[in-house]
Amino acid sequence: MSAVLTSAGDLRLLVTRNLRRETRLIDGLIVNIALPVIIMVLFVYVFGGAITTGSSKLDYVDFVVPAVLLMAGGYGAALTAVSISEDMTGGMIDRFRTLPVGGWAVPAGHVVASVVRNVTTCGFALIAALLMGFRPDASPVDWLLVLAVVAGYVLAMSSLSVLWGLLVGSPQAAGAFSFFVLFLPYLSNGVVPAETMPEALRGFAHHQPITPIVDTLRSLLLDQPMGSSGALAAAWLTGIVVVSAPVAALLFRRRTSA
C-alpha cells in the first residue's frame, strides 16, 4: 500500500512539474490559447462558405467543430514527444536517477499533464465555436461523453507521442509527430464529407480512427443517431493506449538502464 502511495505521489509531482514548465513558456501558452481559435476562424470564415456539408439542415460550423476539437487537442498532445525527448537528451533523466522516483512515473507524468493541458485547449476551441454560431443540442450526459471522448483522444495521442519521442534521437525529430497528428483529420470525415473525396482517399477516410471519433462527437453534440461509430471510436482509442503505453514504458526502461 505504501508503495502505491509513493508511486502516486511521484506521479503527482511530475505532472505538476510538467504543467509548471508549460506555464513558464509564454510562447507555448499563446499557442495553446490562440491556435484553436485561429483554426476555428480559418475553417468557419475562410473555408466555410465554399464547403457543403451534404445536408441543408447542417451549417458548416456545426459540421467542423468535432474535427477542430481533435486538431486543437491532438496538436498539443503531439508536442509531448518534444518534451520527453528534451528530458532524455538534456540531462534531466540523469537527475531523476539520483532521486527516489519510480521510472514509469516519468513518461506517465508527461501523458497526464498533456491530457490536463490539452483538454483545456479544446475548451478554448469550443468557446470560439459558440461565439461563431455553433449551437449544440447535447444533454448533460452527452456533454460528459463528449468530454470522455476528447480526453480519450488526447490520452491516446499523448501515449503515442511519448512513444515517438523515445524512439527518435532529438527534439527536432520528435516535433515531426505534430504534423502527422494535425494533418490526419483532413483525411477523415471531419473537415469535408468523406463521400466527396476520390475513391482511394475515401476508403482511407472510412478506415482510419479519426472518422469514427469525429462521427461520435458530432452525434453527441448535435443529438444525431450514432450507429456503430461510438463502438469503433472506443475500440480505436483503447487499442492505441493499450499498445503504446506499455511499449513506451518498456522503451523508457531500456533507454534509462543503459
PDB file of all heavy atoms in Angstrom, residues 167-181:
ATOM      1  N   LEU A 167      11.529   6.994 -29.298  1.00  0.00           N
ATOM      2  CA  LEU A 167      12.113   6.277 -30.429  1.00  0.00           C
ATOM      3  C   LEU A 167      13.141   7.115 -31.181  1.00  0.00           C
ATOM      4  O   LEU A 167      14.152   6.588 -31.659  1.00  0.00           O
ATOM      5  CB  LEU A 167      11.012   5.840 -31.398  1.00  0.00           C
ATOM      6  CG  LEU A 167      10.169   4.632 -30.994  1.00  0.00           C
ATOM      7  CD1 LEU A 167       9.005   4.458 -31.959  1.00  0.00           C
ATOM      8  CD2 LEU A 167      11.028   3.367 -30.956  1.00  0.00           C
ATOM      9  N   VAL A 168      12.889   8.423 -31.307  1.00  0.00           N
ATOM     10  CA  VAL A 168      13.770   9.273 -32.102  1.00  0.00           C
ATOM     11  C   VAL A 168      14.887   9.815 -31.222  1.00  0.00           C
ATOM     12  O   VAL A 168      14.843   9.730 -29.994  1.00  0.00           O
ATOM     13  CB  VAL A 168      12.990  10.434 -32.753  1.00  0.00           C
ATOM     14  CG1 VAL A 168      11.916   9.887 -33.682  1.00  0.00           C
ATOM     15  CG2 VAL A 168      12.356  11.326 -31.685  1.00  0.00           C
ATOM     16  N   GLY A 169      15.893  10.408 -31.883  1.00  0.00           N
ATOM     17  CA  GLY A 169      17.097  10.793 -31.159  1.00  0.00           C
ATOM     18  C   GLY A 169      17.217  12.252 -30.803  1.00  0.00           C
ATOM     19  O   GLY A 169      18.189  12.639 -30.152  1.00  0.00           O
ATOM     20  N   SER A 170      16.261  13.096 -31.197  1.00  0.00           N
ATOM     21  CA  SER A 170      16.401  14.517 -30.927  1.00  0.00           C
ATOM     22  C   SER A 170      15.029  15.171 -30.808  1.00  0.00           C
ATOM     23  O   SER A 170      14.046  14.672 -31.368  1.00  0.00           O
ATOM     24  CB  SER A 170      17.189  15.203 -32.045  1.00  0.00           C
ATOM     25  OG  SER A 170      16.429  15.233 -33.243  1.00  0.00           O
ATOM     26  N   PRO A 171      14.936  16.304 -30.100  1.00  0.00           N
ATOM     27  CA  PRO A 171      13.671  17.027 -30.019  1.00  0.00           C
ATOM     28  C   PRO A 171      13.172  17.492 -31.384  1.00  0.00           C
ATOM     29  O   PRO A 171      11.961  17.577 -31.609  1.00  0.00           O
ATOM     30  CB  PRO A 171      13.998  18.222 -29.111  1.00  0.00           C
ATOM     31  CG  PRO A 171      15.147  17.763 -28.279  1.00  0.00           C
ATOM     32  CD  PRO A 171      15.951  16.879 -29.187  1.00  0.00           C
ATOM     33  N   GLN A 172      14.092  17.805 -32.296  1.00  0.00           N
ATOM     34  CA  GLN A 172      13.690  18.245 -33.635  1.00  0.00           C
ATOM     35  C   GLN A 172      12.935  17.132 -34.359  1.00  0.00           C
ATOM     36  O   GLN A 172      11.896  17.360 -34.993  1.00  0.00           O
ATOM     37  CB  GLN A 172      14.914  18.679 -34.445  1.00  0.00           C
ATOM     38  CG  GLN A 172      15.580  19.949 -33.960  1.00  0.00           C
ATOM     39  CD  GLN A 172      16.411  19.745 -32.696  1.00  0.00           C
ATOM     40  OE1 GLN A 172      16.769  18.618 -32.348  1.00  0.00           O
ATOM     41  NE2 GLN A 172      16.718  20.844 -32.017  1.00  0.00           N
ATOM     42  N   ALA A 173      13.467  15.920 -34.292  1.00  0.00           N
ATOM     43  CA  ALA A 173      12.793  14.778 -34.915  1.00  0.00           C
ATOM     44  C   ALA A 173      11.485  14.469 -34.202  1.00  0.00           C
ATOM     45  O   ALA A 173      10.496  14.085 -34.832  1.00  0.00           O
ATOM     46  CB  ALA A 173      13.706  13.556 -34.905  1.00  0.00           C
ATOM     47  N   ALA A 174      11.455  14.651 -32.890  1.00  0.00           N
ATOM     48  CA  ALA A 174      10.234  14.398 -32.135  1.00  0.00           C
ATOM     49  C   ALA A 174       9.113  15.340 -32.560  1.00  0.00           C
ATOM     50  O   ALA A 174       7.941  14.964 -32.587  1.00  0.00           O
ATOM     51  CB  ALA A 174      10.510  14.546 -30.639  1.00  0.00           C
ATOM     52  N   GLY A 175       9.477  16.570 -32.924  1.00  0.00           N
ATOM     53  CA  GLY A 175       8.469  17.544 -33.319  1.00  0.00           C
ATOM     54  C   GLY A 175       7.741  17.184 -34.588  1.00  0.00           C
ATOM     55  O   GLY A 175       6.638  17.702 -34.846  1.00  0.00           O
ATOM     56  N   ALA A 176       8.316  16.284 -35.410  1.00  0.00           N
ATOM     57  CA  ALA A 176       7.658  15.908 -36.665  1.00  0.00           C
ATOM     58  C   ALA A 176       6.338  15.199 -36.427  1.00  0.00           C
ATOM     59  O   ALA A 176       5.453  15.218 -37.296  1.00  0.00           O
ATOM     60  CB  ALA A 176       8.597  15.010 -37.479  1.00  0.00           C
ATOM     61  N   PHE A 177       6.153  14.602 -35.257  1.00  0.00           N
ATOM     62  CA  PHE A 177       4.916  13.883 -34.977  1.00  0.00           C
ATOM     63  C   PHE A 177       3.705  14.806 -34.980  1.00  0.00           C
ATOM     64  O   PHE A 177       2.595  14.398 -35.311  1.00  0.00           O
ATOM     65  CB  PHE A 177       5.036  13.166 -33.630  1.00  0.00           C
ATOM     66  CG  PHE A 177       3.886  12.261 -33.315  1.00  0.00           C
ATOM     67  CD1 PHE A 177       3.656  11.113 -34.057  1.00  0.00           C
ATOM     68  CD2 PHE A 177       3.013  12.544 -32.272  1.00  0.00           C
ATOM     69  CE1 PHE A 177       2.597  10.267 -33.769  1.00  0.00           C
ATOM     70  CE2 PHE A 177       1.955  11.719 -31.975  1.00  0.00           C
ATOM     71  CZ  PHE A 177       1.746  10.568 -32.726  1.00  0.00           C
ATOM     72  N   SER A 178       3.914  16.069 -34.616  1.00  0.00           N
ATOM     73  CA  SER A 178       2.794  17.015 -34.548  1.00  0.00           C
ATOM     74  C   SER A 178       2.182  17.264 -35.919  1.00  0.00           C
ATOM     75  O   SER A 178       0.973  17.477 -36.032  1.00  0.00           O
ATOM     76  CB  SER A 178       3.257  18.335 -33.931  1.00  0.00           C
ATOM     77  OG  SER A 178       4.261  18.939 -34.725  1.00  0.00           O
ATOM     78  N   PHE A 179       2.999  17.230 -36.979  1.00  0.00           N
ATOM     79  CA  PHE A 179       2.469  17.444 -38.325  1.00  0.00           C
ATOM     80  C   PHE A 179       1.552  16.289 -38.727  1.00  0.00           C
ATOM     81  O   PHE A 179       0.514  16.493 -39.352  1.00  0.00           O
ATOM     82  CB  PHE A 179       3.608  17.593 -39.323  1.00  0.00           C
ATOM     83  CG  PHE A 179       4.423  18.832 -39.119  1.00  0.00           C
ATOM     84  CD1 PHE A 179       5.633  18.790 -38.456  1.00  0.00           C
ATOM     85  CD2 PHE A 179       3.963  20.065 -39.566  1.00  0.00           C
ATOM     86  CE1 PHE A 179       6.379  19.936 -38.236  1.00  0.00           C
ATOM     87  CE2 PHE A 179       4.703  21.224 -39.364  1.00  0.00           C
ATOM     88  CZ  PHE A 179       5.912  21.156 -38.695  1.00  0.00           C
ATOM     89  N   PHE A 180       1.931  15.079 -38.366  1.00  0.00           N
ATOM     90  CA  PHE A 180       1.104  13.915 -38.664  1.00  0.00           C
ATOM     91  C   PHE A 180      -0.245  14.009 -37.963  1.00  0.00           C
ATOM     92  O   PHE A 180      -1.303  13.808 -38.578  1.00  0.00           O
ATOM     93  CB  PHE A 180       1.838  12.643 -38.238  1.00  0.00           C
ATOM     94  CG  PHE A 180       0.976  11.414 -38.243  1.00  0.00           C
ATOM     95  CD1 PHE A 180       0.643  10.778 -39.427  1.00  0.00           C
ATOM     96  CD2 PHE A 180       0.489  10.890 -37.050  1.00  0.00           C
ATOM     97  CE1 PHE A 180      -0.162   9.640 -39.432  1.00  0.00           C
ATOM     98  CE2 PHE A 180      -0.308   9.764 -37.037  1.00  0.00           C
ATOM     99  CZ  PHE A 180      -0.634   9.141 -38.238  1.00  0.00           C
ATOM    100  N   VAL A 181      -0.231  14.354 -36.675  1.00  0.00           N
ATOM    101  CA  VAL A 181      -1.462  14.411 -35.893  1.00  0.00           C
ATOM    102  C   VAL A 181      -2.364  15.547 -36.378  1.00  0.00           C
ATOM    103  O   VAL A 181      -3.586  15.403 -36.436  1.00  0.00           O
ATOM    104  CB  VAL A 181      -1.139  14.572 -34.396  1.00  0.00           C
ATOM    105  CG1 VAL A 181      -2.413  14.775 -33.588  1.00  0.00           C
ATOM    106  CG2 VAL A 181      -0.392  13.355 -33.888  1.00  0.00           C
TER     107      VAL A 181
END
